[in-house]
């Protein structure tokens, strides 16, 4: 299994990294932690669930991205991981 | 601004020159370098040697524009492609802020350097390891070995330690830059202690890093570089491994010959104090046993001469197909750690 990173660390974007892992672990590092940590965390969990991801180490490094940007980055990462790993 | 990868000698030369204005030296072991330029001038660069980030610099007039965020994003993806998904950096303490903003977390800090990681977490990793190997909270003794290959010297060290502790953890260095691959080194040791429930054989994970990839460009004298590397390694062991696994003694073999390992042992003594136990090296026919002696003998004389220096599990491995392949490789190569 290969690790994939999607997105960038540039302002208003986010870098989503998914690593193979024996359980589901989520790490969210965001510049808007106080106001939106819970919100982003829910969004990430919901998106992972939609794609049936139960085992992965997911790292979201958020630089102030909007909801749909985070969701798009995460979805792409999931798809790319599945493509790469057949 | 476009990101480029340095491939030509001229690129590297220009980058070395750029780095030198910030008192940094382009290191020999770098295997990837990205940079940005404007009007034909380099304005930012990052490099890596395997999974270690090195030689990071941004032109003063461009600082504060987050060029590094762009460069790092690209570098992370390229390193992922190469299978490096847990990254490290050694930086000067005054630059921690920059690396934190890129997502790096501190592992340990000395007066001169901070050791940081990205896309991993030492606390979680070690706690997970502890659960996976079902270790309890009783006080334990520990040994850290590369075992390239596992010898009767290592066996002696571990057996001596186990006389004084109910539980022993043997950390086998996970880093794969030795002749004998990690998986094989690990298997041999596990086999050797399969009847000893008190001896737990664990991988060291990515945190105990060899001197080979340690950056040399921060410090001037070789002696102080070795010392600094040893210090980072020892502090990582003390502040994380000893605490999480409840280790109260670390056992090492005496090092009368290798000055490199000796600097290491001295540093350990300074920082671990009475928790460091030095065990006299085992000798056979007055020859002190070491993995490097065994490798030399394998290279020069073949299997029969090493039999008395290695435990059964190692010998069984050496006569297997896998072992034979490693011996052939050993014979073809110049000496290497």
């Amino acid at each position: 299994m290969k690790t994939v990173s999607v997105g960038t660390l540039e302002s208003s974007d986010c870098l989503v990294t998914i690593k193979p892992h024996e359980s589901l672990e989520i790490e969210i590092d965001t510049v808007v932690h106080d106001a939106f940590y819970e919100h982003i965390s829910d969004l990430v969990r919901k998106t992972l669930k939609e794609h049936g991801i139960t085992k992965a180490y997911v790292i979201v490094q958020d630089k102030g991205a909007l909801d749909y940007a985070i969701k798009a980055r995460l979805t792409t990462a999931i798809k790319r991981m599945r493509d790469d790993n057949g | 601004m476009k990101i480029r990868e340095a491939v030509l000698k001229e690129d590297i030369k220009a980058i070395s020159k750029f780095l030198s204005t910030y008192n940094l030296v382009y290191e020999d072991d770098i295997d990837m370098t990205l940079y940005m330029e404007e009007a034909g001038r380099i304005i930012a660069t990052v490099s890596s040697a395997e999974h270690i980030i090195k030689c990071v610099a941004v032109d003063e007039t461009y600082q504060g524009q987050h060029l590094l965020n762009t460069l790092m994003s690209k570098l992370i993806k390229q390193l992922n492609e190469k299978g490096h998904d847990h990254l490290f950096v050694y930086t000067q303490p005054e630059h921690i802020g920059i690396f934190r903003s890129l997502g790096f977390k501190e592992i340990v800090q000395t007066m001169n350097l901070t050791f940081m990681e990205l896309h991993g977490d030492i606390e979680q990793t070690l706690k997970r390891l502890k659960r996976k190997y079902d270790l309890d909270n009783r006080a334990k003794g520990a040994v850290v070995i590369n075992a390239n290959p596992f010898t009767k010297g290592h066996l002696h060290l571990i057996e001596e330690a186990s006389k004084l502790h109910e539980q022993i953890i043997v950390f086998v260095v996970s880093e794969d830059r030795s002749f004998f691959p990690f998986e094989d080194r690990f298997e041999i040791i596990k086999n050797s202690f399969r009847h000893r429930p008190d001896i737990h054989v664990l991988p060291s994970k990515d945190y105990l890093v060899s001197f080979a990839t340690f950056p040399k460009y921060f410090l001037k004298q070789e002696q102080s570089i070795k010392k600094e590397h040893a210090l980072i390694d020892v502090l990582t062991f003390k502040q994380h491994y000893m605490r999480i696994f409840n280790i109260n003694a670390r056992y090492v073999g005496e090092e009368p010959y290798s000055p490199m390992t000796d600097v290491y042992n001295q540093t350990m003594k300074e920082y671990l104090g009475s928790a460091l136990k030095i065990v006299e090296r085992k000798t056979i026919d007055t020859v002190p046993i070491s993995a490097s002696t065994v490798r030399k003998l394998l290279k020069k004389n073949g299997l029969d001469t090493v039999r008395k220096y290695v435990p059964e599990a190692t010998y069984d491995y050496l006569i297997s197909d896998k072992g034979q392949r490693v011996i052939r490789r050993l014979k073809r190569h110049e000496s290497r750690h």
Side-chain angles (χ1 to χ4, degrees):
Chain A
M1 290 282 264
K2 207 171 189 177
T3 296
V4 288
S5 293
V6 172
T8 72
L9 292 166
E10 287 162 38
S11 189
S12 306
D13 197 355
C14 65
L15 184 75
V16 175
T17 302
I18 305 188
K19 287 192 189 200
H21 200 64
E22 59 236 32
S23 58
L24 185 63
E25 215 158 305
I26 300 165
E27 212 176 284
I28 294 163
D29 175 15
T30 169
V31 290
V32 290
H33 188 280
D34 292 352
F36 292 108
Y37 177 82
E38 289 302 329
H39 181 79
I40 296 169
S41 176
D42 288 347
L43 174 69
V44 169
R45 276 170 210 283
K46 219 177 106 200
T47 309
L48 289 169
K49 205 172 169 186
E50 278 169 18
H51 290 89
I53 301 288
T54 53
K55 284 180 184 177
Y57 182 7
V58 181
I59 305 154
V60 178
Q61 292 174 258
D62 171 48
K63 297 291 176 189
L66 294 171
D67 277 30
Y68 44 81
I70 297 175
K71 191 167 177 174
R73 293 301 195 196
L74 184 55
T75 306
T76 308
I78 292 166
K79 286 189 175 151
R80 199 170 293 164
M81 180 181 69
R82 289 193 164 144
D83 287 351
D84 278 4
N85 300 312
Chain B
M1 237 166 288
K2 214 173 140 53
I3 301 173
R4 297 170 193 278
E5 186 169 349
V7 276
L8 302 170
K9 271 208 178 108
E10 294 96 272
D11 298 342
I12 309 277
K13 223 169 155 184
I15 288 161
S16 304
K17 204 172 153 214
F18 172 70
L19 286 170
S20 71
T21 60
Y22 295 93
N23 287 321
L24 299 173
V25 177
Y26 190 84
E27 299 228 303
D28 296 340
D29 63 348
I30 285 172
D31 45 34
M32 184 151 43
T33 298
L34 301 179
Y35 67 100
M36 288 167 122
E37 55 180 12
E38 189 159 88
R41 236 182 47 177
I42 291 170
I43 55 168
T45 181
V46 292
S47 291
S48 61
E50 295 176 7
H51 59 312
I52 315 256
I53 310 292
K54 290 184 167 181
C55 297
V56 179
V58 177
D59 187 301
E60 258 157 9
T61 52
Y62 292 86
Q63 284 172 14
Q65 295 183 22
H66 306 292
L67 297 185
L68 216 46
N69 295 47
T70 310
L71 275 176
M72 273 304 290
S73 307
K74 176 95 174 174
L75 185 70
I76 289 168
K77 288 178 200 168
Q78 299 213 167
L79 288 175
N80 281 344
E81 283 297 312
K82 287 179 148 193
H84 299 303
D85 62 2
H86 185 193
L87 310 179
F88 296 88
V89 71
Y90 299 88
T91 184
Q92 285 150 315
E94 62 262 38
H95 297 139
I96 295 175
I98 297 166
F99 287 99
R100 268 196 198 143
S101 77
L102 296 167
F104 283 84
K105 289 178 282 193
E106 284 122 278
I107 301 169
V108 280
Q109 185 167 336
T110 70
M111 274 172 61
N112 305 311
L113 284 184
T114 305
F115 183 35
M116 302 176 90
E117 65 177 325
L118 182 73
H119 296 170
D121 184 296
I122 189 166
E123 191 83 12
Q124 297 303 324
T125 305
L126 297 184
K127 283 184 174 162
R128 216 158 30 230
L129 194 61
K130 189 177 170 187
R131 275 199 304 273
K132 189 175 167 187
Y133 284 83
D134 212 10
L135 297 170
D136 56 32
N137 282 320
R138 274 180 290 173
K140 295 173 184 67
V143 172
V144 180
I145 52 174
N146 192 29
N148 182 37
F150 186 58
T151 67
K152 280 186 181 166
H154 299 116
L155 186 66
H156 172 76
L157 175 67
I158 296 163
E159 279 173 346
E160 284 302 301
S162 79
K163 284 178 192 164
L164 300 159
H165 290 269
E166 264 183 79
Q167 304 266 313
I168 292 288
I169 303 180
V170 179
F171 289 104
V172 184
V173 175
S174 302
E175 198 180 21
D176 237 336
R177 47 176 57 251
S178 302
F179 265 108
F180 293 88
F182 167 73
E183 240 172 80
D184 300 354
R185 289 184 279 120
F186 189 78
E187 240 2 78
I188 292 168
I189 301 169
K190 225 173 67 187
N191 282 338
S192 293
F193 296 112
R194 65 182 182 279
H195 303 304
R196 293 287 303 265
D198 59 324
I199 297 174
H200 308 278
V201 182
L202 271 64
S204 76
K205 295 300 195 183
D206 301 335
Y207 299 98
L208 304 175
V209 183
S210 75
F211 186 65
T213 42
F214 187 70
K216 323 297 192 267
Y217 57 88
F218 290 111
L219 307 149
K220 296 283 170 273
Q221 287 170 319
E222 185 162 7
Q223 205 60 14
S224 62
I225 298 169
K226 282 178 182 168
K227 176 97 184 165
E228 196 65 29
H229 167 254
L231 188 52
I232 294 261
D233 211 50
V234 170
L235 289 179
T236 303
F237 189 77
K238 183 178 177 177
Q239 292 173 10
H240 299 284
Y241 288 74
M242 287 180 83
R243 176 173 53 84
I244 290 168
F245 291 98
N246 196 17
I247 293 163
N248 61 6
R250 175 165 171 181
Y251 289 79
V252 295
E254 198 186 16
E255 280 295 341
Y257 302 109
S258 156
M260 174 69 220
T261 319
D262 206 39
V263 173
Y264 192 89
N265 282 5
Q266 274 169 23
T267 310
M268 267 199 285
K269 208 169 188 171
E270 264 172 65
Y271 288 86
L272 299 183
S274 60
L276 182 74
K277 315 283 182 199
I278 298 174
V279 176
E280 208 181 307
R281 197 167 273 269
K282 188 179 170 68
T283 55
I284 288 180
D285 308 331
T286 73
V287 181
I289 310 164
S290 74
S292 64
T293 314
V294 168
R295 287 199 305 278
K296 255 179 234 154
L297 285 172
L298 278 174
K299 201 174 152 84
K300 236 174 58 196
N301 307 331
L303 210 47
D304 293 339
T305 49
V306 305
R307 188 161 196 170
K308 61 181 172 185
Y309 300 119
V310 299
E312 219 171 298
T314 308
Y315 188 78
D316 289 344
Y317 168 81
L318 290 173
I319 58 175
S320 74
D321 287 347
K322 267 194 211 165
Q324 288 293 310
R325 270 200 296 276
V326 176
I327 295 172
R328 277 200 295 276
R329 210 148 39 85
L330 195 62
K331 284 185 169 167
R332 278 202 306 271
H333 273 70
E334 285 303 305
S335 71
R336 167 191 156 193
H337 182 63

